[in-house]
Structures are given as structure tokens and as C-alpha cells.
Amino acid sequence: MSNYSVTRAWIDTKMADSFDVPIIYPSWFPNFNALQELYPQLRTVQANDFKEYLSVIHERLARGSVVTAIDRYHLDYIKPQRHMGAHYIIIHDAFDTLFMYFDPYDRGEHVVSAEELEAWTSPSHPSVQYMGYSVTFIDPSVDSKRPPLTLETILDQRIANIRTTIRNIGGFKVTAPLSSRAYRFFLKLALGGMSNSDFNKKNGRLENKEFFIHKRMLISAALETAIIGYYQALLRAFEWIYIKDVEITRRRWIVFMNLYIIGLRIELSRYQALKAIVHGARIESRGRNFLEAMR
């Protein structure tokens, strides 16, 4: 996929339960062509202006609910407010210029006016994650034989990605020695990536932590806090080394990589534990279904 990967995206499973596809919060513009390769049933209609956008919604409502993308920054029941790009709501009824919609975030029913909806779908300033006037819906007439993308499959992909990252980072440790200027340059690149990564910004892991707190999953929230804290401590320590113009020797570069790998191994263990839980729950569910069928 060109702008994001499934395993690194925020996947709202409540949204997925609503209309049978995972909704992906991309780090940049969503690529619907790539999504349609995974889910041919997913259809997106792009309108030229807000008036045309409303007419598309009314047309779709005559046949069922409409799933549409908005900027979640405008939803005052999501705290703290921040631009997160595309957020999906399910519009299921219309009364003149008022629309009833369901939001899987709080599993609540809400009302939005046409005027508000126009603001929710207009470009932000500066325009960063603007989707345009798009209506997303499932077309049941399109039959797909592809197996669904399950949480267990996503965890498998994430585990494989982390293992690959650990292996690639480990490969740097066996390369021929380089100059301290080269190691300093590599450290600068690494620190720049870390400072803009999801554990250090108001998305990704920080978003996950707030989600767990919201759902009262305190152990998961504590684990997220610990992982975030570890990476941020590593970032600050080596930023201090870099800013103080300490020589970046091969030994210091390897220490940095080893410490980063420790964080990755912690993440790997957590994803493996989650997979075991999901796999166990699936087997237990199948067992219950089998016993009920035998009655």
C-alpha cells in the first residue's frame, strides 16, 4: 500500500463490526484503490462540492445506511480534540437538513445539521488530511472470495514486521567499522525518525493508551505507558549525547541499536501474547459452537 500499511495503521474494530470491513486511519491520505484491492465490496463516491455530496448521501440513504468520512477534530465528545484525519460515522436517517448518525467511538446516536456536516468535511487549515467530499459504503452486489482480514492475521503481520526490523537493525552491528561522522549522521536520522514516530506524537501509541483508558483496560494502558516511556527515555538520552557533540563511536552506536532492539523485543512479546489470547478465544468459541451443535 502506498501511504500506509495495514499492520501499522489504527484499526477501529468497533467500526469493522459495523459494516464488515476494517476501517484504517492512515498516516496521510487514504488510498482507496489499495483498500479496494483488499475489499472489492468497498465503494467510494467522490463529489465535486458539498451540494453534490448531500445529494449522494440522500441517494444512498434511500437504499440503506451511509458510511462517510469526516474530520474527527469537530466532534466535541472525543477528547482531547485533535486532527486525526479521516474518522468514519454511519448516517442512517435524514430529516430535512438534519442527519441522524451512529458513531462507533462512543456507540452513541448523534444528530448533525447540514451546515455542521459541511464544516466537518471541509479542508483543514493548512489542508493536510482532507479527503474531499467522499461517501464510503459497502456494495453488496460485489462478491469477493477473499478471506476477511482478521485481528489474528494483523497480529501475525505485525509480529513478522517487528522480527524483520530486529533482524535488519542487527545487521548494522556486523558491518565494517565506519567513521564517527558516519555514525553521527546515522544517529541523527534515527533520532529524527523517533521524534516524529507514533510513540512521541498525539497518535499511534498515545492514541492507543487513551483508548485503553477510555475502555477501562488499565493493564493495557499501563503497558502502553511503559513502552512509550522506554522509547522516550532512549530518545532523550541520545538526543543529549548528540546535542552535547559527544563523539559517536561504533561502541555508542551499537549500544543505541541494542537498546532500541530491547524495546522492539518488548513489543514483540506483547503482540505474541495478544495473538495467544485471540487464538485461544477463537478456539474456545469454536469449542462452544461445536458443543451446542452436538446437543
Side-chain angles (χ1 to χ4, degrees):
M1 291 185 165
S2 59
N3 295 321
Y4 53 82
S5 67
V6 172
T7 55
R8 296 185 65 183
W10 175 270
I11 297 181
D12 187 336
T13 54
K14 295 296 183 184
M15 190 75 247
D17 292 341
S18 301
F19 60 106
D20 301 320
V21 295
I23 288 301
I24 297 176
Y25 290 84
S27 59
W28 203 248
F29 288 91
N31 186 332
F32 280 104
N33 291 331
L35 279 179
Q36 284 177 327
E37 289 180 10
L38 283 173
Y39 297 93
Q41 302 99 322
L42 188 65
R43 287 290 174 265
T44 299
V45 176
Q46 194 80 10
N48 294 318
D49 52 39
F50 184 72
K51 183 178 180 180
E52 185 179 339
Y53 169 76
L54 281 184
S55 67
V56 171
I57 288 181
H58 281 290
E59 180 186 347
R60 291 300 310 174
L61 283 175
R63 289 177 266 174
S65 298
V66 175
V67 179
T68 191
I70 62 172
D71 184 349
R72 72 181 281 177
Y73 175 81
H74 297 277
L75 304 182
D76 57 9
Y77 53 85
I78 298 182
K79 300 292 185 181
Q81 288 179 272
R82 58 189 172 276
H83 283 285
M84 285 294 294
H87 179 66
Y88 292 82
I89 59 174
I90 305 170
I91 300 176
H92 55 76
D93 215 340
F95 303 95
D96 194 17
T97 60
L98 297 177
F99 298 89
M100 295 285 296
Y101 74 90
F102 173 79
D103 193 334
Y105 174 82
D106 64 349
R107 302 189 64 82
E109 294 286 347
H110 304 274
V111 178
V112 58
S113 67
E115 184 178 1
E116 289 173 319
L117 190 60
E118 184 172 13
W120 294 3
T121 54
S122 296
S124 57
H125 300 284
S127 181
V128 176
Q129 295 181 315
Y130 176 54
M131 288 187 61
Y133 294 117
S134 61
V135 176
T136 309
F137 60 95
I138 292 297
D139 187 348
S141 65
V142 178
D143 183 30
S144 173
K145 303 300 182 183
R146 289 188 176 92
L149 188 66
T150 64
L151 179 58
E152 192 170 355
T153 305
I154 293 165
L155 290 171
D156 282 335
Q157 292 181 6
R158 187 56 176 151
I159 287 169
N161 283 354
I162 292 179
R163 284 174 173 163
T164 300
T165 302
I166 291 173
R167 186 167 57 251
N168 290 341
I169 292 176
F172 282 106
K173 296 192 291 185
V174 297
T175 57
L178 301 171
S179 67
S180 61
R181 287 186 63 189
Y183 289 128
R184 183 173 180 81
F185 175 70
F186 292 152
L187 182 62
K188 178 182 179 181
L189 293 179
L191 294 176
M194 292 177 73
S195 64
N196 290 289
S197 63
D198 61 2
F199 67 81
N200 202 42
K201 297 293 182 181
K202 269 293 182 183
N203 55 26
R205 286 205 169 280
L206 290 180
E207 179 77 8
N208 290 352
K209 185 180 77 171
E210 291 170 4
F211 173 81
F212 290 135
I213 292 173
H214 177 74
K215 296 297 182 181
R216 297 182 181 178
M217 301 167 65
L218 300 184
I219 294 177
S220 293
L223 289 172
E224 289 296 305
T225 302
I227 293 172
I228 292 168
Y230 178 84
Y231 280 130
Q232 288 180 332
L234 179 63
L235 172 63
R236 292 191 189 101
F238 278 86
E239 273 185 337
W240 184 87
I241 291 174
Y242 182 86
I243 292 171
K244 294 299 182 180
D245 209 20
V246 176
E247 182 182 5
I248 310 302
T249 62
R250 176 180 174 81
R251 178 182 176 82
R252 291 193 175 103
W253 172 244
I254 290 178
V255 167
F256 171 78
M257 288 191 293
N258 285 338
L259 291 172
Y260 199 91
I261 287 174
I262 288 173
L264 290 171
R265 291 197 183 280
I266 294 171
E267 287 193 76
L268 179 61
S269 298
R270 186 162 184 226
Y271 283 118
Q272 288 172 329
L274 285 172
K275 181 187 172 184
I277 293 171
V278 171
H279 186 69
R282 186 164 57 85
I283 292 176
E284 182 181 351
S285 177
R286 285 181 178 178
R288 283 198 305 268
N289 293 339
F290 176 77
L291 290 175
E292 290 176 2
M294 293 295 290
R295 288 178 182 176

